[in-house]
Amino acid sequence: MSKNKNKRKRETVDVVANVIILFFAILNLFPLYWLFTSSLKNSSDVIKMPPDWFPKTISFDNYVDVFQNQPALQWTFNSIIVSLVSTVAVIVFSSMAAYAFSKLHFKGKNVIYIIFISSLMIPKEVMIVPLFRIIQDLGMVNSLNGMIWPNVATAFGVFLLKGFFDSIPDSLREAAKMDGAGEFYTFYKIIMPIVKPGIGALFILNFVQVWNDYLWQLVVGQSEESKTLMVGIASLMQDLNPNFAYKMAGATVAAIPMLVIFICFQKYFTKGLAIGAEKG
């Protein structure tokens, strides 16, 4: 009797928990819904009080205007190139550095790692002036290179991937060496496939961070041709008589690539978080 009672109690708790999770999931999706539906309205309907939760008339004119009257395709292309190249470069260099800190033995390894990770405590805003001077001296202002390579010099990817490399037993690397495998072959063919969840998590986190890096892209990309989507969308807001629905359409276009990236790498992202929780 008590077993049935406990079973019903657990089922009740599960139902309540699922209802709460569903409620918060809908709550988190509501801003995306409001963003998309507002982009289908006209400007006056967006700021109407009380608001219309469902558009009375649906129009895609705002999207047509964004791509016809503004170089939105160029902005989108620039953002994709900057975010994708930066993220791939971060994964390549961070994985090699994390592997070295985790599996290789060299003098001063721990001290170098601590100094390297300490750079995470320095906000990027503090470094923006000297960083801009360096980019200016290298002739990378108003170019995508000036937006890409400063984002590669980050310790976050090394910190994240080192935890995954640490979870791999050293015996696997030693067995590969006994079979005649070189260091690079061991790293690329044996170790890297095991840390795919960590790479997927890093890909999503870094891609979103670079995609939303408005301040640095605004400072470096000063010409119309070098603007990214974030900077371009922000410029759509006029001082006089702003078209809110027009900007909502631009913001929706800016959000779509991030949703696609998350959906494509969701499996690795959630698996990476699960492995990180187990190690914790």
Side-chain angles (χ1 to χ4, degrees):
M1 189 71 179
S2 59
K3 288 184 178 180
N4 292 332
K5 186 177 180 180
N6 291 333
K7 184 179 180 181
R8 287 195 299 269
K9 186 177 179 180
R10 286 195 301 270
E11 291 175 349
T12 303
V13 171
D14 289 341
V15 170
V16 173
N18 289 331
V19 170
I20 294 174
I21 292 172
L22 180 63
F23 170 76
F24 281 105
I26 295 174
L27 199 64
N28 280 285
L29 288 174
F30 180 76
L32 289 175
Y33 166 79
W34 185 252
L35 178 68
F36 178 69
T37 55
S38 296
S39 68
L40 303 177
K41 304 175 183 177
N42 57 53
S43 185
S44 59
D45 289 337
V46 173
I47 59 177
K48 179 182 176 182
M49 286 296 170
D52 294 327
W53 300 110
F54 302 97
K56 293 181 179 179
T57 57
I58 296 177
S59 174
F60 291 92
D61 291 342
N62 293 315
Y63 291 94
V64 175
D65 291 341
V66 167
F67 285 97
Q68 283 187 348
N69 301 331
Q70 303 291 339
L73 283 176
Q74 181 67 44
W75 296 344
T76 305
F77 176 77
N78 291 344
S79 286
I80 292 175
I81 291 298
V82 170
S83 302
L84 191 60
V85 174
S86 296
T87 301
V88 171
V90 164
I91 290 174
V92 171
F93 294 120
S94 295
S95 60
M96 290 191 292
Y99 177 81
F101 282 124
S102 176
K103 299 302 179 186
L104 303 184
H105 302 282
F106 52 91
K107 189 175 181 180
K109 180 177 74 171
N110 294 332
V111 175
I112 296 173
Y113 180 72
I114 291 173
I115 296 174
F116 192 65
I117 296 301
S118 298
S119 64
L120 290 172
M121 296 186 292
I122 305 175
K124 191 173 183 178
E125 291 75 12
V126 175
M127 303 182 292
I128 199 165
V129 173
L131 193 58
F132 178 78
R133 292 293 299 272
I134 295 172
I135 294 299
Q136 190 177 41
D137 292 340
L138 293 174
M140 292 184 179
V141 177
N142 290 326
S143 72
L144 300 186
N145 280 324
M147 303 179 199
I148 292 172
W149 300 113
N151 286 310
V152 177
T154 175
F156 175 74
V158 179
F159 174 73
L160 179 66
L161 292 180
K162 184 179 180 297
F164 287 89
F165 284 119
D166 287 342
S167 65
I168 300 174
D170 292 335
S171 58
L172 186 63
R173 177 169 166 263
E174 292 169 0
K177 280 193 170 186
M178 290 178 64
D179 289 338
E183 198 69 64
F184 182 79
Y185 184 91
T186 303
F187 164 72
Y188 180 68
K189 289 290 187 179
I190 299 175
I191 304 298
M192 284 295 285
I194 301 177
V195 297
K196 276 185 179 179
I199 293 173
L202 178 59
F203 189 98
I204 291 178
L205 294 173
N206 195 84
F207 188 94
V208 172
Q209 188 273 324
V210 177
W211 184 273
N212 293 323
D213 192 9
Y214 171 79
L215 180 59
W216 180 246
Q217 294 169 6
L218 177 66
V219 171
V220 177
Q222 300 172 359
S223 65
E224 195 69 25
E225 295 77 17
S226 62
K227 281 184 179 179
T228 57
L229 195 56
M230 288 295 130
V231 178
I233 295 304
S235 67
L236 295 180
M237 182 63 75
Q238 305 292 328
D239 292 333
L240 298 175
N241 192 26
N243 189 333
F244 294 101
Y246 186 52
K247 190 174 184 181
M248 290 291 187
T252 303
V253 173
I256 289 174
M258 288 188 289
L259 292 175
V260 173
I261 288 294
F262 181 78
I263 291 172
C264 292
F265 287 86
Q266 181 184 12
K267 178 178 70 173
Y268 297 111
F269 182 69
T270 53
K271 190 175 179 180
L273 293 180
I275 293 175
E278 291 174 3
K279 288 189 295 184

